[in-house]
Every structure is written in structure tokens, then in C-alpha cells.
């Protein structure tokens, strides 16, 4: 998902130039936009600031955690005034800005949310220095906004401290929570009476822009980490022969940053905390513990009972990596400083931020508000050394530079890469075959090599090998392209080389392993929306449906995964139905030995959102199968089946009547009380449909 970087600035009444984002402590009274102000109001605001901040610092953690739950926010505290609400909101923003690194699976969403919260600081600046009292509807809106910040804080803390394995497995549910926070934030900002609280046009436009970006971001489909998703599926599977593959386990552990003894100890504690909340016997917890134990075995750790009270390692203490020391943050941007400098007032700021402040014709200290005798900047070497040591100790990476560092410990050399690419064009078949195989193996386990092979021209040569009659060369070439396509930039390069039609030809006519890996390659390439269209127009969907019918268990899984991703495109749903996808999906539901009920139901859930799909699958026998799964399936099966039935019934009341005739009612009542969170929501939705259509028994 793309990160919408909102570049915000706050304005002063005495100057038309803009300044960087700042906290409410930063504006000088003489630079306020207030048309008039009583001395009493200003004195109260200024003198009470540090007192309020101290009070909030003492109670903020306790209040933030008790006010919020997943459905709403409950509080018995008396209604605060506008000044309190502004200060409490700013304290919440400053708290989340000090959180350390977030879990990799939600990192982009976390940093995006934190940036958007920080971009509201200019709004609070102006509200703080208003001369007139905030009207009641303004106080109500600010109260609602503060509650959203509490909800955001709880979510961000989970992504900062929670189990990495749990967050990876529950990435879809976490995304739903982020979208819920985004929606609540939009609603709260929409209700702000900007005119009545006299917010400047510039700040109002910034807020409206952020709301637009939030809503646009919610409509976008998130591109998941394909390698992580596939590896998680393999390691957590009870039937996939790759579930004990050491290479896959090591790769997954590295992806989740669980490849050291210290991090595995911390993860054990985090999982223990999750288990206390969800119950030790839940299916999800058992799955998490199994994955954790595989990581421990690979890294030579003793596998102990996770639910025994573990001893917390020192690095888990609050003063360690979980929270960034406040003095390391620039008071203007609330980011960890890289080049701290001291100004005439004795305060320290990030060099770039304070320079922008001065360049905007400000001659005061943003923090103390005093007028400066000079604008010279002196490097704060002592603080810079402390920050550097802290970064190294806590392995902290700034959000704006995260992911830019080159991979470490690579065993692949440039000479080896160049030599293998040259051998792909050899006139000797044996040399070509070996080169394709070596590229396949190197690109499987080494992310850096995927970039280097592409830069050295491996993709065109591999695409050409796909047309060779030698079945082994075909297999190695298509699998090498699959591995290279894990890198997002390589997806475009492969498509630009007209590889997709050739991969589809291998999918139709190659040996079974080549067909399976071709399906996996199409899944990877289809992560790009433009490639979804190319694959469909190249008749890739009928070829995948054919593999779904005729393939091995692994082939069927690769095919249904690729088809699922392709059918995120609405037009491709009709193409899949026309290609005959429904009958083989029904067979997957009925053949329990294949262990693919969840995959089939997920596919059906996509198809029922299309009118043609509802017509094709909404037959009496299918309703009976759904009800049977709701009765006897696993918790995940029941959740998916209830979702499909709800989608069908919302468009045609005869489907809910048929389900009632098959005896679904009592099982829906049970699921609404004991099922997974999502299953409970779907079951209640079905019961509501019954109620509104007068079909309750």
C-alpha cells in the first residue's frame, strides 16, 4: 500500500510564509492567528501548559488503555473543556510519535497513521490560541477526535509490542482495524465546526486533504508480501510437505525478525500475553506456538512450554527499545534527530527543521518562544553520540530510511551473477540448463540476488528459454522467473518482456511441476493490477481452471491462489465463471482429503459479489453444502461459509429460506456467541437478514 506523505505546515498571522509541523508548544503568541485574545485566557493557557502535560504524562497510559475497546470507547470521566481536550490529544500524538519500530507486517500502516496524526498538530496550534471560547459542538468534536486517538494509540502499541507471528497471521484483521480507525478519524474531522472555531483556511485545507487521502487509501487494495504469505501458508500447514523445509523456516524467521535468540525470547513473552487474552487452547494460538517452536528448533533453542511464566530479558524493559527517549525527538517534527543542533536559546532541534523555521522569517525559539539574539546553529555532538549508540543498541531504523540499506551478508558476487547470465545464452544445452538451475536456486533464498540478476539482464534470457522444448530448462526457467518476480520492480520487467503469454503456454503444456510453478508465477505477477488484465487477456484464467481440475494437490493450491488474486478484478470474475471454475471449486468443498475448504470458500466469497457468480453458485445443493460446513466445519470453515451465505442471502431472500430448511438457525445462534470475531459478525448479520425478511423460525 502506498504511503501518503502529507506535507503540512502551520501559518502565522503576521507572515504569509509557512512553517514546518510543530507541536502546540511551538508558536509564539505574537505569531498566533487569533484576531483578539484576553490576557486572562492566554495566561491560563500558557501557565497551565506544563501542569497539564505533567498530569497527562502520569495518567495517559492508564487512561488510554482503559477507555478503548474494539467496538467503541467507554469513559466515565467528566467532560473536559476545550483546552484539556487539545492538550490530551497532543499528548497522545506525542506518545505515538515516541514509539519505536513497528512490526514489519504492519509497519507501513503504522507510520502512515502516525504521520497523519502528527499532521493535525497545526490544527491544535490554532485552536489553542483562539481568543474566543470553543463552542459546545466544537468541544464535542474534539472529544470524539481524542477518543479516536486513544483507539489509534492502542492499535499502534499492539503493532509495536505484540507477537510478530500473531500479527503476520492476523494481517487481514489488523488491516480492518486500521481502516476502522481511518473511518472514525474521517468522521471526527468532518464534524469539526471549522468556521465557528475560526480555523484558518490553510489549516482547514490541510485537514480536508488528509481526509481525502485517507478515504482514497481505504479504497485501494493492499499488495501483500507474497513471499511472506506463501511461506506462512507452507510452514503452518499440516499437509504441505514443505512445512519442515529449513530454508523456508529460516527465510520466514528472517522476514519476521525472529532469527536471534534474544528476539525469540521476546516473541515467547509476547505470545504468552496473546494467549492470556485469547485462551491457550484456541486454534490460532496453537498455530502460533507451532511456528515459534519450529523457529526455535532451527536456531538451536530449547523448546519449552510457552505458557510457563518466562523471565523477561533486559531489553524488554520500558526504558529500552519499546519507547524512544523524548530528548531524542526534534520538538518540531517529533522524529528522532540525525543532526541535532543547538540554537541561541539553548534548545536542540534537527538541523533541517530549525533551518526551515528560520527560513520562514521566524526569529524566535519554537519551544520557549523567546526572541533569539542570533540564528547561528551549533552541533550537539554529545546528544548525537547518544542517539547513535541508542540506534545501534535497539536496531532502530527511521521510517524514511527503512528499507534503503543494502542487504548484509550476501554470498552472491557480481562476477558470479554476470557469469550465470552469460551462460543462459550458451550454445550448449547442458550449460544453459545448469545456469537456469543455479539462478533458480540463488534467487530462491537471496533477495539481493533477485535485483542483481535483473540488473544484469537475466529476465530476457530466461523468457527466451521458456520456449525451448527441453522440459528441464522450461522448469528451471519458469521457476527462476517466479523467484525473481518476488521483487516488485521485477514484476514489471518480466511483464515488459512479454513473458506472461509464454508462462501461460508452459502452464497449459508443460510437465506438472512446470505447470505448478507457472501458476505460482502468475499469482506473483498478478500482484500488479495491470498484470491482472494482461493475464486475463492472454487466456490465463482458463489455463488455471484446467490446472484446478487436473493438478496435484499442490497444483490445485497454486491454481486457486492465482485465481483468487486475479478475481480481485471485477471483470475477471465473469471470465473465471465462463471458464468453468464453479464445478472444480465444489469438488474442493466435498473432498475433505484435499484440505482446501478454506481456499474454495474464499474463492466463492469473491464470486458471489458478481451477479453472474450468484446465479451460478446459488443452487439448492450448494446452500446445503454451506449449511453442512456451518454445522461441522472448523472455526475458520464456519467463518468463511457464513460469509458466503450472508452475501448470497443479502441479494436473494430465497437463499436464507433454503438455509433455514437445512437447519442452519441454531448453528448460527451458536456461532454468534462462540465463533471467531469475524464469524460472530457474519452470523449476527444472517440472523438480522432473517429478522428483516420475516424468516425467523
Amino acid at each position: 500500500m502506498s504511503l501518503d506523505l502529507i506535507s503540512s505546515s502551520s501559518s502565522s498571522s503576521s507572515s504569509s510564509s509557512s512553517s514546518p509541523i510543530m507541536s502546540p508548544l511551538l508558536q509564539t503568541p505574537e505569531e498566533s492567528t487569533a484576531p483578539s485574545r484576553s490576557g486572562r485566557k492566554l495566561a491560563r493557557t500558557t501557565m497551565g501548559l506544563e501542569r497539564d502535560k505533567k498530569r497527562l504524562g502520569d495518567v495517559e497510559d492508564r487512561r488510554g488503555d482503559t477507555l478503548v475497546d474494539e467496538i467503541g470507547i467507554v469513559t466515565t470521566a467528566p467532560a473536559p473543556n476545550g483546552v484539556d481536550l487539545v492538550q490530551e490529544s497532543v499528548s497522545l500524538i506525542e506518545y505515538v510519535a515516541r514509539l519505536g519500530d513497528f512490526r514489519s507486517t504492519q509497519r507501513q500502516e503504522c507510520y502512515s497513521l502516525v504521520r497523519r496524526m502528527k499532521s493535525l498538530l497545526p490544527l491544535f496550534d490554532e485552536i489553542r490560541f483562539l481568543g474566543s471560547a470553543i463552542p459546545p459542538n466544537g468541544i464535542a468534536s474534539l472529544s470524539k477526535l481524542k477518543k479516536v486517538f486513544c483507539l489509534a494509540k492502542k492499535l499502534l502499541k499492539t503493532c509495536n509490542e505484540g507477537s510478530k507471528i500473531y500479527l503476520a497471521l492476523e494481517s487481514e484483521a489488523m488491516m480492518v482495524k486500521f481502516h476502522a480507525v481511518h473511518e472514525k478519524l474521517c468522521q471526527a474531522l468532518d464534524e469539526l465546526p471549522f468556521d465557528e472555531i475560526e480555523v484558518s483556511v490553510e489549516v482547514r485545507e490541510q485537514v480536508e486533504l488528509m481526509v481525502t487521502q485517507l478515504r482514497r487509501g481505504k479504497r485501494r487494495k493492499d499488495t501483500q508480501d507474497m513471499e511472506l504469505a506463501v511461506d506462512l501458508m507452507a510452514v503452518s500447514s499440516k499437509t504441505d510437505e514443505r512445512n519442515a523445509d529449513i530454508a523456508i523456516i529460516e527465510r520466514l524467521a528472517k522476514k519476521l525478525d525472529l532469527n536471534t535468540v534474544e528476539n525469540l525470547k521476546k516473541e515467547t513473552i509476547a505470545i504468552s500475553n496473546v494467549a492470556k487474552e485469547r485462551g491457550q487452547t484456541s486454534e490460532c494460538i496453537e498455530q502460533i506456538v507451532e511456528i515459534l517452536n519450529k523457529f526455535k528448533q532451527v536456531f538451536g533453542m530449547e523448546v519449552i512450554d510457552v505458557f510457563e511464566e518466562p523471565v523477561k530479558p533486559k531489553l524488554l524493559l520500558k526504558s529500552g527499545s519499546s519507547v524512544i527517549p523524548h530528548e531524542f525527538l526534534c520538538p518540531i517534527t517529533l522524529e528522532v534527530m540525525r543532526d541535532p543542533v543547538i540554537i541561541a536559546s539553548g534548545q536542540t532541534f534537527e538541523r533541517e527543521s530549525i533551518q526551515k523555521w528560520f527560513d520562514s522569517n521566524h526569529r524566535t525559539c519554537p519551544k520557549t518562544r523567546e526572541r533569539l539574539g542570533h540564528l547561528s546553529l551549533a552541533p550537539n555532538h554529545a546528544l548525537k553520540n547518544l542517539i547513535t549508540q541508542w540506534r545501534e543498541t535497539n536496531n532502530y531504523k527511521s521510517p524514511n530510511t527503512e528499507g534503503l540499506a543494502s542487504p548484509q551478508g550476501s554470498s552472491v558476487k557480481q562476477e558470479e551473477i554476470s557469469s550465470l547470465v552469460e551462460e543462459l545464452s550458451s550454445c550448449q544445452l547442458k550449460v544453459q540448463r545448469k545456469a537456469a538451475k543455479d539462478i533458480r536456486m540463488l534467487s530462491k533464498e537471496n533477495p539481493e540476488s533477485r535485483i542483481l540478476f535483473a540488473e544484469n539482464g537475466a529476465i530476457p534470457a530466461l523468457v527466451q528459454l521458456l520456449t525451448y522444448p527441453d522440459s528441464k530448462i522450461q522448469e528451471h526457467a519458469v521457476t527462476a522467473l517466479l523467484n525473481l518476480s518476488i521483487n516488485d520492480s521485477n514484476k514489471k520487467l518480466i511483464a515488459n518482456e512479454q513473458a506472461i503469454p509464454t508462462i501461460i503456454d508452459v502452464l497449459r503444456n508443460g510437465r506438472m511441476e512446470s505447470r505448478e510453478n507457472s501458476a505460482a508465477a502468475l499469482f506473483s505477477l498478478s500482484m500488479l493490477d495491470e498484470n491482472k488484465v494482461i493475464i486475463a487477456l492472454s487466456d490465463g484464467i482458463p489455463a488455471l481452471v484446467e490446472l484446478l481440475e487436473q493438478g496435484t494437490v499442490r497444483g490445485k493450491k497454486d491454481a486457486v491462489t492465482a485465481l483468487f488474486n486475479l478475481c480481485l478484478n471485477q471483470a475477471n470474475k465473469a471470465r473465471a465463471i465462463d471458464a468453468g471454475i464453479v464445478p472444480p471449486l465444489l469438488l474442493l468443498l466435498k473432498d475433505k482429503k484435499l484440505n482446501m475448504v478454506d481456499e474454495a470458500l474464499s474463492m466463492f466469497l469473491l464470486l458471489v459479489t458478481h451477479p453472474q457468480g450468484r446465479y451460478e453458485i446459488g443452487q439448492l445443493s450448494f446452500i446445503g453444502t454451506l449449511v453442512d460446513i456451518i454445522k461441522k466445519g472448523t472455526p475458520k470453515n464456519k467463518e468463511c461459509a457464513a460469509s458466503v451465505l450472508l452475501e448470497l442471502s443479502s441479494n436473494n431472500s430465497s437463499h436464507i429460506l433454503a438455509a433455514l430448511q437445512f437447519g442452519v438457525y441454531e448453528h448460527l445462534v451458536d456461532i454468534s456467541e462462540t465463533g471467531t470475531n469475524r464469524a460472530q459478525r457474519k452470523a449476527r448479520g444472517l440472523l438480522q437478514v432473517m429478522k428483516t425478511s420475516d424468516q425467523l423460525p
Side-chain angles (χ1 to χ4, degrees):
M1 178 165 181
S2 65
L3 297 176
D4 295 318
L5 180 59
I6 304 172
S7 178
S8 301
S9 61
S10 61
S11 65
S12 68
S13 62
S14 59
S15 174
S16 60
S17 58
S18 59
S19 59
I21 294 174
M22 67 195 79
S23 77
L25 298 177
L26 307 186
Q27 241 182 354
T28 62
E30 57 267 32
E31 291 167 342
S32 169
T33 59
S36 61
R37 180 190 307 112
S38 68
R40 180 181 177 186
K41 175 79 179 262
L42 176 60
R44 184 192 64 182
T45 302
T46 306
M47 294 172 59
L49 190 57
E50 292 302 322
R51 180 200 63 214
D52 291 344
K53 188 169 184 179
K54 182 178 186 305
R55 175 175 55 80
L56 284 164
D58 294 338
V59 303
E60 183 248 340
D61 276 339
R62 172 169 50 82
R63 296 178 71 183
D65 287 340
T66 56
L67 292 178
V68 186
D69 61 25
E70 290 190 6
I71 298 175
I73 299 157
V74 179
T75 177
T76 57
N81 59 36
V83 175
D84 289 338
L85 286 169
V86 168
Q87 181 55 45
E88 289 172 9
S89 295
V90 170
S91 295
L92 287 167
I93 295 174
E94 290 177 339
Y95 179 90
V96 300
R98 292 195 301 271
L99 289 175
D101 198 12
F102 296 101
R103 304 316 191 206
S104 60
T105 43
Q106 285 80 32
R107 187 169 294 150
Q108 288 185 338
E109 282 297 323
C110 289
Y111 284 134
S112 179
L113 179 56
V114 171
R115 275 199 305 274
R116 282 163 173 155
M117 291 173 66
K118 285 161 60 176
S119 73
L120 294 174
L121 288 174
L123 171 66
F124 292 118
D125 275 342
E126 295 204 355
I127 295 175
R128 175 177 298 283
F129 295 111
L130 283 176
S132 56
I134 300 173
N137 58 339
I139 291 178
S141 297
L142 288 173
S143 178
K144 187 171 184 179
L145 190 57
K146 191 206 79 171
K147 291 175 181 179
V148 177
F149 288 163
C150 289
L151 190 62
K153 175 198 165 188
K154 181 178 181 181
L155 182 58
L156 291 166
K157 281 187 67 178
T158 299
C159 296
N160 174 250
E161 304 169 356
S163 160
K164 297 175 181 179
I165 301 174
Y166 173 78
L167 290 171
L169 288 171
E170 295 293 312
S171 58
E172 179 185 350
M174 295 302 295
M175 190 58 64
V176 170
K177 292 181 180 181
F178 274 104
H179 286 170
V181 170
H182 293 168
E183 184 59 35
K184 289 176 183 292
L185 184 57
C186 289
Q187 292 174 359
L189 293 172
D190 283 341
E191 294 174 9
L192 270 177
F194 291 99
D195 292 333
E196 295 183 39
I197 59 178
E198 302 173 0
V199 172
S200 69
V201 173
E202 180 185 359
V203 170
R204 180 171 182 172
E205 287 177 349
Q206 291 172 5
V207 173
E208 290 172 347
L209 174 62
M210 190 197 75
V211 171
T212 301
Q213 291 174 329
L214 274 174
R215 292 204 163 110
R216 185 170 65 237
K218 186 176 180 181
R219 290 195 296 269
R220 282 196 299 267
K221 296 294 183 182
D222 302 308
T223 301
Q224 63 174 318
D225 185 329
M226 190 276 284
E227 184 180 61
L228 176 65
V230 171
D231 286 349
L232 265 177
M233 190 183 304
V235 171
S236 60
S237 172
K238 297 184 183 298
T239 57
D240 194 325
E241 63 273 13
R242 297 173 293 174
N243 62 8
D245 189 320
I246 293 179
I248 293 178
I249 295 173
E250 288 180 342
R251 185 169 65 217
L252 181 58
K254 184 177 181 181
K255 198 86 172 178
L256 296 177
D257 196 24
L258 292 174
N259 53 347
T260 67
V261 172
E262 188 63 40
N263 284 347
L264 286 169
K265 288 180 179 178
K266 292 163 70 175
E267 177 68 7
T268 302
I269 295 170
I271 291 174
S272 177
N273 293 333
V274 174
K276 291 176 182 177
E277 297 176 6
R278 299 177 62 91
Q280 298 180 9
T281 59
S282 72
E283 183 181 3
C284 178
I285 296 300
E286 291 176 359
Q287 187 179 22
I288 293 172
V289 172
E290 287 179 9
I291 296 174
L292 175 67
N293 289 340
K294 288 179 181 179
F295 290 165
K296 288 184 175 181
Q297 289 169 349
V298 166
F299 292 102
M301 285 183 66
E302 180 184 2
V303 177
I304 61 173
D305 187 354
V306 171
F307 308 118
E308 292 180 358
E309 191 66 30
V311 178
K312 290 191 176 183
K314 293 180 180 179
L315 287 179
L316 279 183
L317 296 176
K318 183 85 172 180
S319 59
S321 62
S322 61
V323 176
I324 302 172
H326 189 268
E327 58 269 21
F328 292 176
L329 299 175
C330 173
I332 294 176
T333 64
L334 297 180
E335 299 284 0
V336 177
M337 289 182 280
R338 290 185 168 276
D339 188 9
V341 293
I342 304 172
I343 64 174
S345 65
Q347 301 297 322
T348 298
F349 299 87
E350 175 66 34
R351 180 186 294 273
E352 182 181 359
S353 301
I354 192 62
Q355 191 61 59
K356 286 182 180 179
W357 173 262
F358 290 156
D359 291 345
S360 299
N361 296 322
H362 294 100
R363 295 294 179 267
T364 55
C365 172
K367 191 168 184 179
T368 65
R369 302 192 182 100
E370 66 182 276
R371 187 164 294 279
L372 301 175
H374 61 81
L375 303 182
S376 300
L377 305 178
N380 191 335
H381 294 297
L383 181 59
K384 186 174 183 178
N385 290 336
L386 286 173
I387 293 174
T388 300
Q389 293 174 11
W390 177 83
R391 283 178 181 274
E392 293 173 353
T393 301
N394 295 290
N395 193 28
Y396 177 82
K397 297 177 183 178
S398 297
N400 57 342
T401 59
E402 190 269 330
L404 297 180
S406 59
Q408 301 296 318
S410 171
S411 61
V412 184
K413 297 180 180 180
Q414 178 65 47
E415 297 79 7
E416 183 181 2
I417 296 284
S418 301
S419 176
L420 286 172
V421 173
E422 287 180 10
E423 290 172 359
L424 290 176
S425 302
S426 171
C427 57
Q428 300 180 44
L429 197 64
K430 183 177 180 180
V431 174
Q432 289 178 302
R433 187 186 300 128
K434 184 178 185 305
K437 181 180 180 181
D438 288 346
I439 293 175
R440 169 186 179 177
M441 300 309 295
L442 287 172
S443 60
K444 175 183 178 182
E445 299 181 3
N446 193 304
E448 181 188 13
S449 71
R450 297 171 193 142
I451 300 172
L452 295 176
F453 276 122
E455 290 176 347
N456 284 270
I459 290 174
L462 288 168
V463 173
Q464 188 174 358
L465 292 182
L466 290 178
T467 61
Y468 277 37
D470 185 281
S471 59
K472 269 298 177 185
I473 283 188
Q474 266 193 1
E475 178 189 325
H476 294 323
V478 78
T479 310
L481 287 170
L482 162 63
N483 295 335
L484 292 177
S485 71
I486 292 172
N487 180 278
D488 282 343
S489 60
N490 286 348
K491 290 178 172 63
K492 289 186 178 181
L493 295 176
I494 293 171
N496 291 341
E497 290 297 329
Q498 307 298 314
I500 288 176
T502 314
I503 293 173
I504 291 172
D505 188 62
V506 175
L507 174 61
R508 287 188 180 279
N509 305 308
R511 291 173 44 170
M512 184 52 70
E513 186 168 353
S514 299
R515 295 177 68 190
E516 292 168 352
N517 291 342
S518 296
L522 292 178
F523 164 64
S524 176
L525 293 170
S526 67
M527 290 294 181
L528 298 183
D529 288 341
E530 56 265 34
N531 286 348
K532 288 181 174 70
V533 177
I534 296 173
I535 293 169
L537 296 179
S538 303
D539 288 332
I541 290 177
L544 288 167
V545 171
E546 186 178 335
L547 181 62
L548 186 62
E549 291 177 311
Q550 304 172 359
T552 62
V553 174
R554 179 181 170 186
K556 291 178 186 293
K557 288 187 176 181
D558 289 330
V560 76
T561 305
L563 285 164
F564 180 89
N565 211 43
L566 287 168
C567 287
L568 293 174
N569 178 296
Q570 184 74 358
N572 286 345
K573 295 174 185 177
R575 293 186 177 106
I577 294 165
D578 290 338
I581 192 175
V582 172
L585 285 177
L586 287 171
L587 291 176
L588 295 185
L589 286 183
K590 295 175 181 177
D591 190 347
K592 300 298 190 291
K593 294 179 182 179
L594 294 174
N595 195 29
M596 292 179 63
V597 174
D598 284 338
E599 289 88 341
L601 287 170
S602 297
M603 194 72 232
F604 277 124
L605 185 56
L606 266 184
L607 296 177
V608 293
T609 61
H610 192 280
Q612 188 178 349
R614 289 193 292 272
Y615 175 78
E616 289 283 338
I617 68 180
Q619 307 300 318
L620 192 63
S621 59
F622 179 69
I623 301 298
T625 302
L626 282 181
V627 173
D628 189 56
I629 294 171
I630 289 173
K631 290 179 180 178
K632 305 174 184 177
T634 65
K636 185 68 175 177
N637 292 164
K638 293 179 179 180
E639 174 186 309
C640 292
S643 299
V644 175
L645 183 58
L646 178 59
E647 188 67 35
L648 280 172
S649 303
S650 298
N651 290 276
N652 190 330
S653 59
S654 65
H655 292 135
I656 198 66
L657 179 59
L660 284 168
Q661 291 173 343
F662 282 111
V664 75
Y665 178 77
E666 61 182 282
H667 301 287
L668 288 178
V669 172
D670 181 61
I671 292 174
S672 69
E673 298 172 351
T674 63
T676 65
N677 290 338
R678 188 180 180 209
Q680 288 182 21
R681 293 196 302 270
K682 300 302 179 181
R684 290 167 187 157
L686 280 165
L687 293 171
Q688 183 63 31
V689 170
M690 294 177 187
K691 181 179 180 181
T692 56
S693 59
D694 296 326
Q695 300 292 349
L696 278 175

